């Protein structure tokens, strides 16, 4: 992928998982106090570090309240990848997050998109480790063709976000290479 490439990503997940905070940390490289997302936010982010350096990510951050979730497919339709954000401390809602992820990935078109799970809020004292979130979301049981990665992050300090976008970049490159071989 050329360093001037542009990719479009849909950032989804339950409300309050930290999607908008992640988006604005990536945009402004600092914590931004955000308000509740009513419909969506969209930002174009030029990556300054990591393997995706020089690339442009256009990220759609879509409201995660339950009445907004049916709209998710409208955003994934034109995307090159899906970022699914979860709150690593909210154990009660991990099951709900799993069900929404399964529902999203029932759509055959979405199975073709690389999936990056961001286990956000890793700074919180009772946050679950990545391996437990991986299990709780059933990532290993996804459709066999589904490409996925999981990374931990904290959208308040920005920790882990570069590595997360590196992982997304790697999946997109892998996908492109596989397509070319076919
Ligand atoms: P959403 O867009 O997914 O709905 P928001 O989520 O970005 O609006 O974040 C919801 C709340 O979680 C916000 O707090 C935000 O500051 C907080 N948050 C986001 N990411 C992190 C993180 O990594 N660690 C911690 N500790 N908090 C985080 P408020 O208090 O404004 O509701
Ligand atoms: Mg939001």
């Amino acid at each position: 992928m050329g360093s001037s490439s542009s990719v479009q990503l849909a950032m989804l997940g339950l409300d309050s998982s930290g999607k908008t905070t992640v988006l604005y940390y990536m945009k402004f490289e600092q914590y931004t106090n955000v308000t509740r997302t009513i419909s969506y936010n969209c930002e174009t982010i030029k990556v300054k570090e990591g393997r995706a350096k020089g690339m442009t990510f256009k990220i759609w951050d879509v409201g995660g309240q339950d009445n907004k979730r049916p709209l998710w497919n409208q955003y994934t339709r034109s995307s090159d990848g899906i970022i699914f954000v979860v709150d690593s401390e909210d154990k009660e809602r991990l099951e709900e997050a799993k069900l929404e992820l399964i529902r999203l990935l029932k759509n055959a078109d979405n199975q073709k998109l690389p999936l990056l799970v961001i286990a956000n809020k890793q700074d919180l004292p009772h946050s679950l480790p990545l391996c437990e979130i991986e299990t709780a979301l059933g990532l290993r049981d996804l459709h066999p063709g589904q490409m996925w990665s999981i990374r931990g992050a904290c959208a308040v300090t920005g920790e882990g976000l570069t590595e997360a976008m590196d992982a997304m970049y790697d999946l997109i490159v892998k996908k492109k290479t596989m397509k070319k071989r076919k």
Side-chain angles (χ1 to χ4, degrees):
M1 213 161 7
S3 61
S4 57
S5 301
S6 172
V7 295
Q8 191 160 307
L9 304 171
M11 184 152 62
L12 309 170
L14 301 186
D15 47 301
S16 197
S17 54
K19 299 178 295 298
T20 308
T21 313
V22 166
L23 180 73
Y24 287 105
Y25 196 99
M26 290 199 242
K27 178 77 183 171
F28 300 118
E29 293 169 82
Q30 61 178 43
Y31 168 73
T32 308
N33 190 5
V34 299
T35 52
R36 189 160 168 262
T37 307
I38 304 298
S39 53
Y40 69 87
N41 300 293
C42 179
E43 293 294 338
T44 301
I45 294 160
K46 182 124 178 150
V47 184
K48 297 206 187 78
E49 52 184 350
R51 290 193 285 284
K53 187 174 169 182
M55 281 185 59
T56 303
F57 285 131
K58 185 175 186 186
I59 305 183
W60 295 87
D61 155 31
V62 187
Q65 301 97 298
D66 45 9
N67 62 337
K68 294 284 155 51
R69 296 175 200 161
L71 301 175
W72 284 357
N73 281 323
Q74 289 180 14
Y75 293 89
T76 56
R77 202 167 296 147
S78 51
S79 292
D80 305 296
I82 298 171
I83 303 175
F84 193 81
V85 182
V86 296
D87 177 338
S88 304
E89 204 192 45
D90 196 348
K91 298 175 185 77
E92 273 130 50
R93 291 182 82 204
L94 268 179
E95 179 64 25
E96 188 185 351
K98 176 190 178 170
L99 294 176
E100 289 300 343
L101 184 63
I102 288 175
R103 198 207 304 248
L104 178 74
L105 300 179
K106 258 195 195 141
N107 180 329
D109 291 332
N110 291 340
Q111 290 168 9
K112 294 180 197 136
L113 296 178
L115 167 74
L116 166 72
V117 176
I118 295 185
N120 191 36
K121 308 198 188 183
Q122 283 287 317
D123 57 306
L124 294 177
H126 302 293
S127 60
L128 290 175
L130 254 55
C131 55
E132 284 185 37
I133 293 175
E134 191 178 305
T135 307
L137 293 178
L139 296 180
R140 296 201 173 277
D141 306 322
L142 294 177
H143 183 267
Q146 183 81 52
M147 296 173 70
W148 62 271
S149 272
I150 180 168
R151 292 290 182 277
C154 167
V156 173
T157 61
E159 212 177 318
L161 291 180
T162 300
E163 292 79 1
M165 295 320 284
D166 277 353
M168 182 88 248
Y169 172 79
D170 290 346
L171 290 179
I172 292 173
V173 170
K174 204 167 152 191
K175 179 102 223 171
K176 283 210 163 169
T177 319
M178 278 165 58
K179 243 191 196 163
K180 262 187 206 154
R181 278 207 204 113
K182 271 188 192 163

